[in-house]
Amino acid sequence: MASLTIKNAVKRYGSVEVLKGVDIDLQDGEFLVLLGASGCGKSTLLNMIAGLETVTEGEIMIGDRLINDVHPKDRDIAMVFQSYALYPNMTVGRNISFGLEMRGVPKVEREAAVLEVAKMLQMDHLLDRKPAQLSGGQRQRVAMGRALVRRPEVFLFDEPLSNLDAKLRLEMRTEIKRLHKRLNATMVYVTHDQIEALTLADRIAILKDGEVQQLASPAEIYDQPVNMFVAGLVGSPPMNFISSTVTRTDTGYGAEISVRANDGDQPVLLDLSDHPTDLSTHVGRKIVVGLRPEAITQSGHSTGSTTQSFACDIDVTEATGADTLCVLNWNGKEVMARVSSGYAQIIEGTMDFAVDMSRASLFDPETEMRLG
C-alpha cells in the first residue's frame, strides 16, 4: 500500500472550475471518505486520482510517484463503481480473475488468489455462478473481489452501496470496514451518505462547490464543525441553529432566546459562561448557537458539565425505536430534541427539557464560520 497526496488540485471544463485547489494528504493505510452533495466535485476528484479525468493544475502523487500523466492501468489503483460492471457471460471466478489474466499471471496463481479473496468475502460457494444468478449485494461483493485480488496500492470506491437496499447497505458497510481493518489498505471512498462517512472513515473530507470545507476525523467533524454548512450536513437530524445576541451576565455570557411553553413565549437565557470562545468582543452582537438534537433531552437525563433545564411545549413527536424526536418551538422556529424511547407516547403538552450547553457550537451569522 502507499500514501496519497493531492496538492492544489484544480479541474476546469472550459471556464467552469469544478475543483478549486484541493489539498489532501492521505497516510499509508488510511481510509478517507469524500462527502458532499451531488455536484460538489467529489466524483471528479476520485476520477482524477484514477486517471479517468485529467488534472488541470496541481499534483497527485501515490507514494513518491507523480501520477498526473500516468495512464490509469499503470497507476496501481483498483476502483469499485456504483454499477457493478461485471461481465454477464463470465462466472464469478472468471470475473474476479480476468484482470490478472490480462496481466499474464499464471493460472495456478490466479486460482489461488481468487479463492483467497472469495473466502475473505464469504462467497467461495458462488464462484461458478453467473452475475444474473446473484443478488445485488453478491454482485457488489464480486466487484470488490475483482479489486481486492489485484492488491493495488490504492483502492477507490465510487458510491458502491447506493444501489443496495438499507439492510444490504448496512451489511456491506460492515464488510468494507472489516476488509480495511484486515488489509490495512489505503482507501478513498466517495459518498453522499453521511452515515457511511461517519462509520467507515478515518478522516472525512467535506466538499462544497469544489472546495474542501473541513478535513478531519468523524468525531471532530461531528462535534466541532468548522462552519454551519458542515454542521448542517452531518448529523441526522441535523444540528439546530438558534439565532440570538450575546449578553454579559453575572457569571459570564449568555444568549437570550424565546421558548414556547404553556402556550406562550417565555424568555430563556442560554448559558455560554463555560464556552471556550472568548466572547468579550461579541457582547451585543448577533450569534448563532448550534445544538445537536441529543444535546436537548428530557430533564434529569443530561450529564453535561453545563446543563440547564426549562419547560417547552411539544409540537410533534416522532418515534424512531431507539429514541423519540420532539419538535419544539424556539424563536418561532422548529427545534429538534432527542429523548428516550419511553417518551414515544407523548403526543403534545409541556415537558421539562435539559440543554447541555457544553456541547454547543457558536457561529458568526455573517461568515457562518465557527467561533473558537
Side-chain angles (χ1 to χ4, degrees):
M1 303 303 165
S3 61
L4 173 68
T5 305
I6 303 169
K7 295 181 180 179
N8 194 34
V10 175
K11 179 61 181 179
R12 297 190 191 94
Y13 296 103
S15 60
V16 179
E17 197 169 51
V18 178
L19 290 174
K20 305 170 183 178
V22 173
D23 289 294
I24 295 174
D25 191 5
L26 189 62
Q27 299 301 311
D28 185 3
E30 196 171 6
F31 197 127
L32 173 72
V33 172
L34 304 177
L35 176 65
S38 297
C40 70
K42 58 187 186 298
S43 290
T44 300
L45 180 58
L46 194 78
N47 288 335
M48 287 166 61
I49 298 170
L52 305 178
E53 295 279 2
T54 58
V55 181
T56 306
E57 293 178 17
E59 296 180 348
I60 298 180
M61 301 179 68
I62 294 179
D64 298 326
R65 184 168 60 118
L66 181 67
I67 62 168
N68 285 38
D69 300 318
V70 175
H71 193 277
K73 70 180 179 62
D74 298 321
R75 295 193 177 199
D76 201 10
I77 58 97
M79 195 163 183
V80 179
F81 297 92
Q82 177 179 349
S83 58
Y84 317 124
L86 303 179
Y87 298 106
N89 60 319
M90 294 184 184
T91 64
V92 167
R94 185 84 191 285
N95 264 282
I96 295 174
S97 67
F98 188 68
L100 298 180
E101 186 178 339
M102 291 298 98
R103 287 170 173 78
V105 176
K107 183 177 180 180
V108 174
E109 291 183 27
R110 293 200 311 265
E111 291 177 347
V114 168
L115 186 58
E116 179 187 4
V117 167
K119 287 181 177 178
M120 189 186 305
L121 293 171
Q122 300 176 20
M123 59 177 190
D124 47 311
H125 61 294
L126 302 175
L127 291 177
D128 294 326
R129 295 190 188 180
K130 298 285 184 67
Q133 299 171 292
L134 305 178
S135 67
Q138 290 171 334
R139 292 179 192 179
Q140 193 55 276
R141 286 173 188 264
V142 177
M144 288 172 57
R146 185 173 52 192
L148 290 169
V149 76
R150 291 181 46 206
R151 300 285 178 167
E153 291 190 316
V154 178
F155 289 93
L156 306 178
F157 295 86
D158 189 6
E159 303 200 47
L161 309 185
S162 59
N163 288 336
L164 305 180
D165 61 35
K167 184 175 183 294
L168 277 175
R169 281 202 304 273
L170 176 60
E171 291 175 0
M172 291 304 297
R173 279 206 314 265
T174 303
E175 198 65 48
I176 292 171
K177 188 76 171 180
R178 185 179 290 117
L179 282 171
H180 178 248
K181 183 178 179 180
R182 180 172 178 175
L183 299 174
N184 194 30
T186 305
M187 296 182 175
V188 182
Y189 188 106
V190 163
T191 185
H192 62 271
D193 186 326
Q194 56 166 308
I195 301 300
E196 286 182 20
L198 291 170
T199 55
L200 290 174
D202 293 321
R203 283 192 297 162
I204 301 172
I206 295 185
L207 278 78
K208 177 189 179 187
D209 299 331
E211 296 180 302
V212 175
Q213 301 294 302
Q214 188 169 4
L215 174 61
S217 68
E220 186 176 349
I221 292 281
Y222 192 80
D223 295 327
Q224 300 177 50
V226 71
N227 57 33
M228 291 176 65
F229 173 79
V230 173
L233 178 70
V234 177
S236 180
M239 181 178 283
N240 298 298
F241 297 122
I242 303 105
S243 298
S244 186
T245 302
V246 178
T247 60
R248 196 181 296 275
T249 67
D250 293 339
T251 57
Y253 304 96
E256 188 171 301
I257 62 171
S258 176
V259 172
R260 182 68 53 81
N262 298 310
D263 296 325
D265 291 334
Q266 309 292 332
V268 170
L269 190 66
L270 298 177
D271 187 4
L272 304 178
S273 301
D274 291 337
H275 200 277
T277 304
D278 180 8
L279 296 173
S280 59
T281 60
H282 293 272
V283 175
R285 293 169 55 184
K286 295 291 184 181
I287 197 173
V288 175
V289 180
L291 287 167
R292 296 280 182 198
E294 58 268 25
I296 310 170
T297 189
Q298 68 264 29
S299 184
H301 188 72
S302 178
T303 58
S305 58
T306 308
T307 300
Q308 56 186 120
S309 298
F310 47 85
C312 297
D313 289 350
I314 300 173
D315 290 343
V316 179
T317 60
E318 300 176 10
T320 67
D323 49 33
T324 300
L325 300 175
C326 298
V327 179
L328 315 178
N329 186 303
W330 292 10
N331 286 353
K333 296 182 178 179
E334 289 187 354
V335 168
M336 195 74 74
R338 193 188 298 273
V339 301
S340 299
S341 58
Y343 291 80
Q345 302 305 316
I346 298 175
I347 304 301
E348 58 183 13
T350 304
M351 191 174 85
D352 287 338
F353 285 84
V355 182
D356 184 359
M357 291 304 297
S358 66
R359 302 184 66 177
S361 296
L362 305 182
F363 302 96
D364 185 308
E366 295 183 4
T367 65
E368 297 192 350
M369 297 300 293
R370 184 184 183 88
L371 300 177

